[in-house]
Amino acid sequence: MRFKGVAIGSLLMAAVPVAASNALAQNVTVAVGAAVGSIDPHYYTLTPNTSLDANVFERLVETDAQARPMPGLATSWKLVDDRTWELKLRDASFHDGTPFTAEDVAYTIARVPTVVNSPGSFAIYTRPITGVEIVDAHTIRLSTANVYPLLPTDLAQLFIIPHKLGANPTTEDFNSGKNAIGTGPYRFVSYKPGDRIELERNDGYWGTKPAWQHITYRMITNDAARTAAMLSGDVAMIDQVPTADIARLRADKGVSLWETVSLRIIYLALDQGRDGPTPFVTGPNGEILAKNPLKDLRVRQALSIAINRPAIVQRVMEGAAIPSAQFLPPGSFSYVPGLVPPPTDIAKAKALLAAAGFPNGLKITLHGSNDRYLNDAKIVQAIGQMWTRIGVQTAVETQPWSSYAGHATKLEYSVFLQGWSISSGEASNPLRALVATFDAAKGRGTVNRGRYSNPALDSLIDKAVSTADDGAREALLIQATRMAMDDVAIIPLHNQKNTWATRAGFTYVPRADEETRAYDLRPAN
Amino acid sequence: MLLWFLRRLLQAMFVMLAMSLIVFIGLHAIGNPVDILISPEADQAERARIITQLGFDKPLWQQYAYFLQGALHGDLGRSFVFNEPALQLILQRMPATLELAVTAVLLSVLVGLPLGLFAGLYPNSFAGRAVMAGSILGFSLPGFWVGLMLIMVFAVSLGWLPSSGRGTTAALFGVQWSFLTRDGLAHLVLPALNLSLFNISLVLRLARAGVRETMPLDYIRFARAKGLSPTRVVFVHVLRNILIPVVTVVGLELGSTIAFSVVTESVFAWPGMGKLIIDSINVLDRPVIVAYLMIVVVMFVTINLVVDLLYTALDPRVRLGGRA
């Protein structure tokens, strides 16, 4: 007995004097919920990685909090002819003191496709560039094979690294810090995989001076642990605040919440590729149907208007989303004004089903992941109940993402939950990826797992992405989005909100693209 | 002795081979890493390029053959996610886990053994019963819940200890350790306690049962009749004889504490191997999973070896090599 007292007592005594204090104003700890896998800014197009990279490196074109392009390392860009962009570059310098020039841009564009073993290459953003011409140290021209108005959007994904890194800089050298040289507001100090990244203020930064001398960027992937770190004051800011903890943190006077609607759309994909029976939809008594009922617009409409989106947002998502009837949240480029979710109408849904030849309803197995999107398993369960009310007996089956993703890619499901983060912040990206006809040669419909296909929509999308004028392109994108949604190519559910929490006394600019940037964390006045 | 050792080594290699095969087939059955790893932004051409580059276009047996070939040369493959050698990734995180596990097991022996002795010697006292009742809690409370409660009480409410992470580390033998700094120790307390709770109860119960069993035996009566002091009887005659099951269990528990401290590591954001393996399983990062399990096999074999050697030290009747 005594022994235990001594052992624990001495440990506690050792601990008490170092009680948590985050008072050193110049040192700030930020905790993120997703592990950073690499410091190499061209290794993996994954938000946790780019989020950290955005503290150290910069892009030619940056995006504001609502994902609209704004000047970054390029101060301006314009088309000199319909296939050539000219960019004027900023007077900036890298962390090691070398000035930033057009040479570095050319070097970066050449390096991106050479990164070995990349599971998500940034080459998709450099591929449209067919020619690079350095006009002078601060002017560069990029040419494309076709008219390509999305080049600035693509450049907003590409971090610039200095050309003095030489031929084939390795990912390991970025992780060790040797190559981790950018122009960003913070310089890289050290990286402990799975634990933390230390950053130091870049005093030579061209923009507004960064607020903190030293940033510790910790990875706390467990939701409860991240919230606890916030509550105990161990960290000044956390991202990905779990929806279940939002109410509690909101009530805490020592904590401020910062939220914005994200570019992530959660939707249901519907198998429209099979003409014959689809595996998980049968007649009301389990009889196999000769034709795929999901190909009937009325069935798709019935399924969509049976869903009570506001209820899902309020109850399941605890307010951390907005109901949606299209890809993008309001305020984005190519948002369709007035396209809002249809009111839930059970009688009309039943009537539509009857008109489609299913007066006694259908039997559907709805699939979803259970560890990928916020509350994904609960969302499909809620939808299952809503569909049962219109006479569609719905069974719900959820799986871990690691297993689910494979089945979904192999088109084994009939109706299933998906999420998509619209990195470009405009509608051509989801139009091309989610609802354009699957076409490997053209690189279209890459995640169109319902295999929806509409030639009229395809040609409209093609026309939009080759229209240089922003106004005209936006009009076409709006028209295309409306066409896809009227045809219920997918059933949009909601746009997630991103929530950050800081200690009181800080301000933060929440970003629609989910990036967590120490630069946007500032002391409140 | 040498023969015995060689046989053990051969067994270990066979287990590793079987294990790697099972993992390969098992992961293949769960899903295709390609579907999870490849960035959703990638178009079909890009997908095809990555699939070829990572070797997923080959049949499974061929992928396994490549793996074996590499493994024979000491190369267990590169992580798909981190693009670093899998072995290196794991070894980087190993000190954190070892430190946590060894502290936890030490704690379980240092706390559990005295308590168990006490409960065994005074089974009917109030304190003895209280200890036994307490050990039931140690057994039955789920680790993640206890971890969260520890954080809520000691970090959030009282503010005595940090809620998570490893704190400041200092170098020893070229490796970073937390226990060398005050801040690091403060970070170590809660996760180690959390991890040891189950083992404390286990050791306590084993020790108590051992004492209860040993006390009525003739040689103890004889020792007492001889007039030896109670201290000597308990700490020499009794303790030594109850240690064999304790050593076995502590050895095995050390292994599983190192290998499967996943829950504690993620609740306390402890940057060890456990977190790495669970993240790797989520994205089917096969080279890391295989390498990790290989290391676990090696570790268990080594621990069993040490346990066997300890037996001979503790009990002269035990002989290695099966000829007792």
Side-chain angles (χ1 to χ4, degrees):
Chain A
M1 236 15 224
R2 231 186 112 208
F3 200 92
K4 185 184 182 187
V6 173
I8 293 182
S10 62
L11 282 172
L12 282 181
M13 272 192 289
V16 172
V18 269
S21 76
N22 224 1
L24 291 170
Q26 282 305 297
N27 296 337
V28 161
T29 304
V30 171
V32 294
V36 176
S38 175
I39 308 296
D40 185 339
H42 304 143
Y43 176 59
Y44 201 168
T45 51
L46 214 58
T47 309
N49 289 8
T50 54
S51 177
L52 171 84
D53 292 330
N55 292 291
V56 179
F57 303 92
E58 287 181 294
R59 296 126 160 167
L60 291 173
V61 178
E62 291 285 342
T63 49
D64 66 7
Q66 298 313 313
R68 269 183 290 238
M70 63 175 209
L73 282 175
T75 49
S76 68
W77 49 90
K78 60 167 196 245
L79 278 168
V80 285
D81 60 58
D82 64 354
R83 273 145 219 231
T84 311
W85 289 83
E86 185 176 274
L87 295 98
K88 290 284 180 199
L89 305 181
R90 188 181 295 281
D91 230 345
S93 57
F94 286 98
H95 296 155
D96 62 353
T98 44
F100 159 71
T101 65
E103 194 92 29
D104 302 309
V105 177
Y107 171 77
T108 300
I109 291 170
R111 191 254 168 169
V112 164
T114 66
V115 179
V116 287
N117 291 336
S118 166
S121 173
F122 285 79
I124 50 175
Y125 304 117
T126 57
R127 207 184 295 143
I129 302 170
T130 50
V132 178
E133 184 199 343
I134 297 175
V135 180
D136 61 48
H138 286 99
T139 312
I140 194 164
R141 284 186 178 178
L142 305 176
S143 43
T144 55
N146 304 308
V147 178
Y148 192 66
L150 291 173
L151 193 71
T153 313
D154 280 358
L155 291 177
Q157 306 286 340
L158 218 56
F159 292 103
I160 302 296
I161 55 173
H163 73 277
K164 58 162 249 183
L165 294 181
N168 302 322
T170 64
T171 299
E172 275 107 328
D173 281 342
F174 279 95
N175 293 349
S176 74
K178 190 169 154 239
N179 283 352
I181 302 165
T183 56
Y186 288 93
R187 65 173 78 226
F188 175 89
V189 177
S190 69
Y191 167 50
K192 286 188 195 158
D195 182 21
R196 64 186 59 204
I197 290 136
E198 308 277 354
L199 304 172
E200 200 73 41
R201 174 158 65 205
N202 171 16
D203 287 314
Y205 187 58
W206 57 265
T208 317
K209 198 177 167 196
W212 319 102
Q213 181 63 40
H214 189 97
I215 300 286
T216 305
Y217 198 91
R218 285 182 58 189
M219 305 165 225
I220 306 184
T221 46
N222 184 283
D223 284 346
R226 204 163 55 254
T227 304
M230 180 86 251
L231 288 171
S232 67
D234 284 358
V235 300
M237 173 164 80
I238 60 171
D239 69 358
Q240 298 183 25
V241 176
T243 49
D245 293 331
I246 287 178
R248 161 151 200 199
L249 287 170
R250 210 184 289 282
D252 192 323
K253 284 198 177 60
V255 175
S256 313
L257 290 182
W258 310 89
E259 63 177 27
T260 186
V261 178
S262 80
L263 298 171
R264 193 180 288 278
I265 175 79
I266 303 296
Y267 66 95
L268 294 178
L270 308 157
D271 174 23
Q272 294 154 78
R274 293 176 179 84
D275 288 319
T278 180
F280 290 102
V281 181
T282 62
N285 304 312
E287 66 272 25
I288 292 168
L289 301 166
K291 277 176 65 184
N292 177 0
L294 297 173
K295 294 213 77 158
D296 189 320
L297 173 63
R298 290 165 297 190
V299 173
R300 301 200 295 273
Q301 283 170 335
L303 293 177
S304 180
I305 62 173
I307 297 171
N308 185 346
R309 292 171 178 83
I312 293 177
V313 164
Q314 280 157 26
R315 305 277 162 72
V316 178
M317 297 298 291
E318 311 204 31
I322 57 163
S324 177
Q326 53 179 303
F327 302 115
L328 289 153
S332 316
F333 182 83
S334 64
Y335 172 81
V336 185
L339 183 55
V340 293
T344 315
D345 190 336
I346 290 168
K348 192 175 162 201
K350 281 182 172 164
L352 280 166
L353 279 180
F358 304 104
N360 299 319
L362 290 163
K363 217 173 186 170
I364 288 182
T365 304
L366 172 61
H367 287 89
S369 54
N370 56 22
D371 57 357
R372 171 75 175 179
Y373 307 109
L374 278 178
N375 305 318
D376 42 9
K378 290 186 206 156
I379 294 169
V380 288
Q381 278 156 16
I383 292 172
Q385 289 170 20
M386 292 166 184
W387 281 354
T388 304
R389 289 175 64 197
I390 61 163
V392 173
Q393 306 163 47
T394 310
V396 169
E397 207 173 283
T398 63
Q399 285 182 18
W401 178 253
S402 53
S403 168
Y404 176 80
H407 294 295
T409 313
K410 280 189 229 147
L411 314 179
E412 288 172 11
Y413 297 142
S414 293
V415 188
F416 51 109
L417 188 79
Q418 296 273 292
W420 181 254
S421 182
I422 303 162
S423 57
S424 67
E426 48 75 63
S428 82
N429 162 296
L431 281 168
R432 281 170 56 91
L434 309 185
V435 294
T437 305
F438 182 87
D439 184 338
K442 289 186 180 154
R444 266 197 325 221
T446 43
V447 268
N448 180 356
R449 292 175 183 144
R451 291 290 186 264
Y452 172 79
S453 176
N454 180 348
L457 179 65
D458 292 344
S459 56
L460 200 53
I461 296 172
D462 283 347
K463 196 172 158 203
V465 296
S466 55
T467 302
D469 179 66
D470 283 351
R473 188 170 76 254
E474 184 170 23
L476 286 167
L477 290 173
I478 288 175
Q479 194 191 340
T481 305
R482 198 180 275 285
M483 184 188 277
M485 295 306 157
D486 284 349
D487 206 19
V488 199
I490 59 169
I491 300 179
L493 298 172
H494 54 253
N495 289 105
Q496 284 182 1
K497 280 184 190 170
N498 295 335
T499 313
W500 285 259
T502 65
R503 301 300 302 173
F506 291 88
T507 63
Y508 185 67
V509 185
R511 294 181 64 87
D513 61 13
E514 303 180 11
E515 284 182 359
T516 298
R517 299 185 178 188
Y519 187 61
D520 293 334
L521 178 70
R522 302 213 159 242
N525 295 319
Chain B
M1 178 77 185
L2 186 70
L3 195 69
W4 171 80
F5 188 75
L6 282 177
R7 204 177 334 151
R8 273 296 180 85
L9 209 65
L10 207 68
Q11 273 174 5
M13 283 166 74
F14 178 74
V15 174
M16 277 161 80
L17 193 71
M19 200 274 320
S20 64
L21 192 63
I22 293 170
V23 172
F24 253 77
I25 297 172
L27 286 181
H28 188 72
I30 294 178
N32 192 343
V34 168
D35 296 324
I36 292 143
L37 278 168
I38 292 183
S39 156
E41 300 276 338
D43 59 17
Q44 291 92 337
E46 182 62 21
R47 268 179 73 89
R49 191 191 62 78
I50 296 167
I51 288 172
T52 321
Q53 198 174 47
L54 295 177
F56 287 119
D57 52 337
K58 308 248 169 23
L60 189 68
W61 66 266
Q62 217 169 346
Q63 295 179 36
Y64 185 66
Y66 281 135
F67 162 78
L68 279 189
Q69 200 182 6
L72 285 178
H73 296 91
D75 173 14
L76 294 179
R78 290 175 88 83
S79 159
F80 301 143
V81 178
F82 298 95
N83 195 18
E84 288 196 37
L87 200 61
Q88 182 191 324
L89 271 175
I90 295 164
L91 293 181
Q92 267 173 357
R93 286 162 168 81
M94 202 175 211
T97 298
L98 279 183
E99 174 172 47
L100 183 62
V102 169
T103 313
V105 169
L106 271 182
L107 216 59
S108 67
V109 174
L110 293 181
V111 177
L113 205 57
L115 283 181
L117 273 181
F118 177 84
L121 291 173
Y122 309 102
N124 296 320
S125 69
F126 175 75
R129 285 165 191 273
V131 166
M132 288 311 287
S135 78
I136 293 175
L137 287 184
F139 262 112
S140 48
L141 293 180
F144 73 91
W145 184 82
V146 174
L148 287 175
M149 285 301 119
L150 287 175
I151 292 175
M152 288 313 286
V153 173
F154 291 101
V156 177
S157 300
L158 297 174
W160 290 356
L161 293 164
S163 65
S164 61
R166 234 188 135 185
T168 318
T169 53
L172 179 70
F173 308 125
V175 179
Q176 296 289 325
W177 304 97
S178 289
F179 71 93
L180 298 172
T181 66
R182 274 181 99 88
D183 180 48
L185 265 182
H187 280 84
L188 186 58
V189 176
L190 290 184
L193 187 66
N194 182 219
L195 200 56
S196 67
L197 217 57
F198 178 85
N199 288 340
I200 289 178
S201 312
L202 195 65
V203 171
L204 185 159
R205 293 194 148 235
L206 279 173
R208 176 181 180 272
V211 171
R212 299 275 283 151
E213 205 176 309
T214 314
M215 284 309 276
L217 294 183
D218 287 345
Y219 75 95
I220 299 290
R221 286 159 186 264
F222 185 71
R224 292 168 90 169
K226 224 165 62 173
L228 292 180
S229 75
T231 328
R232 195 176 156 79
V233 172
V234 171
F235 286 98
V236 177
H237 295 80
V238 176
L239 192 60
R240 192 164 170 165
N241 282 287
I242 64 168
L243 274 186
I244 285 209
V246 174
V247 166
T248 314
V249 168
V250 166
L252 288 177
E253 283 299 311
L254 177 66
S256 51
T257 311
I258 294 172
F260 310 114
S261 53
V262 179
V263 173
T264 299
E265 283 188 8
S266 49
V267 169
F268 288 91
W270 190 264
M273 306 187 296
K275 262 183 73 194
L276 175 69
I277 186 68
I278 206 77
D279 292 345
S280 300
I281 291 173
N282 281 336
V283 294
L284 302 181
D285 194 349
R286 192 175 66 199
V288 178
I289 302 174
V290 175
Y292 180 83
L293 291 174
M294 291 264 183
I295 290 178
V296 168
V297 170
V298 172
M299 195 176 66
F300 268 97
V301 170
T302 315
I303 288 176
N304 280 339
L305 204 76
V306 173
V307 167
D308 282 353
L309 292 173
L310 270 181
Y311 283 168
T312 57
L314 284 170
D315 188 342
R317 286 171 304 184
V318 178
R319 289 284 173 274
L320 297 179
R323 273 167 302 158

